Amino acid sequence: LVKTHNLLTTRNYIFGYHPHGIMGLGAFCNFSTEATGVSQKFPGIRPYLATLAGNFRMPILRDYLMSGGICPVNRDSIDYILSKNGSGNAIIIVVGGAAESLNCTPGKNSVTLKNRKGFVKLALRHGADLVPVYSFGENEVYKQVIFEEGSWGRWVQKKFQKHIGFAPCIFHGRGLFSSNTWGLLPYSKPITTVVGEPITIPKINNPSQREVDFYHSIYVDSLIKLFDKYKSKFGLPETEVLEVN
């Protein structure tokens, strides 16, 4: 977990996490556990990782998720945290979601963001600062079978995504005892999560589409600048370009 700027405890924040990867391991390890010392790096900030509401319908899993400060990624939960829970709160939203997970594969750096503007509208309604976050290596820890657009496999994935909320991916990691066998354990690849500079957002109860678009464009530019600044430091060539879909 790499900190680039201080966060004020008098403000609330929405972290946009990119990319989703298969399981969002960087988001979980860095913000829902103390594995990388998030409370020491951002003292006074309470992180809440947001995930699909359907995960909270399963016994035991629900309690496990809540023990890590994870909340449903729905408007009621986010409104409560940002308006009735004081200041110093940071909600981490994996913006690309299930759609982005369908395209994650080792060696590819792309995000689904162009038409994802709901998190910006929420930030404006609550006056919560936006913070771009990029995890280098998130796409490297699992290998996935990618179905091309128009194929039957992609059709099935999109139907699942539309009606159930998540997209079934065909993927594998390493086995329990050997990296040469297939299994569900992630490959031993580093994930480095860089937390960028917060973007100051005004409080607007009913933001117009123009206002949402304006701050969304600022956010996209900030994410690209964050990627370009740190890509070579974490193993990518200077020629690597972040693909924004």
Side-chain angles (χ1 to χ4, degrees), residues 18-213:
H18 313 269
H20 183 287
I22 293 292
M23 295 186 182
L25 291 180
F28 176 76
C29 293
N30 284 308
F31 299 114
S32 290
T33 78
E34 282 295 326
T36 53
V38 63
S39 63
Q40 284 75 44
K41 291 179 180 177
F42 298 102
I45 301 297
R46 296 183 295 275
Y48 298 88
L49 176 60
T51 187
L52 290 174
N55 290 330
F56 293 88
R57 299 190 183 102
M58 301 184 196
I60 301 177
L61 175 62
R62 169 186 179 274
D63 302 281
Y64 175 69
L65 295 176
M66 291 178 69
S67 70
I70 298 178
C71 67
V73 62
N74 58 37
R75 181 170 171 176
D76 288 342
S77 298
I78 294 172
D79 282 346
Y80 178 85
I81 293 171
L82 295 180
S83 64
K84 299 179 181 179
N85 200 39
S87 60
N89 303 294
I91 297 179
I92 297 89
I93 299 177
V94 186
V95 178
E100 191 172 87
S101 68
L102 296 178
N103 294 317
C104 68
T105 187
K108 187 172 184 179
N109 289 282
S110 66
V111 296
T112 302
L113 183 57
K114 281 184 179 178
N115 297 315
R116 299 295 175 104
K117 300 180 180 180
F119 73 106
V120 178
K121 190 172 185 178
L122 280 170
L124 285 165
R125 288 180 63 246
H126 293 285
D129 293 348
L130 288 171
V131 181
V133 178
Y134 197 86
S135 269
F136 295 91
E138 182 70 65
N139 287 344
E140 309 299 317
V141 294
Y142 286 104
K143 295 179 181 179
Q144 179 183 190
V145 176
I146 302 293
F147 294 102
E148 298 297 329
E149 289 292 341
S151 66
W152 68 269
R154 181 55 64 98
W155 181 85
V156 170
Q157 288 176 321
K158 287 188 173 181
K159 284 295 182 183
F160 263 82
Q161 178 188 336
K162 180 179 179 180
H163 297 291
I164 301 179
F166 71 92
C169 300
I170 299 178
F171 68 95
H172 71 85
R174 56 162 289 167
L176 182 61
F177 300 107
S178 171
S179 59
N180 296 321
T181 59
W182 287 12
L184 292 180
L185 291 178
Y187 286 105
S188 300
K189 303 287 186 179
I191 298 177
T192 306
T193 302
V194 183
V195 181
E197 181 178 4
I199 302 166
T200 303
I201 301 295
K203 189 176 188 300
I204 305 174
N205 290 328
N206 294 296
S208 65
Q209 189 60 50
R210 184 176 180 180
E211 290 167 327
V212 172
D213 291 344

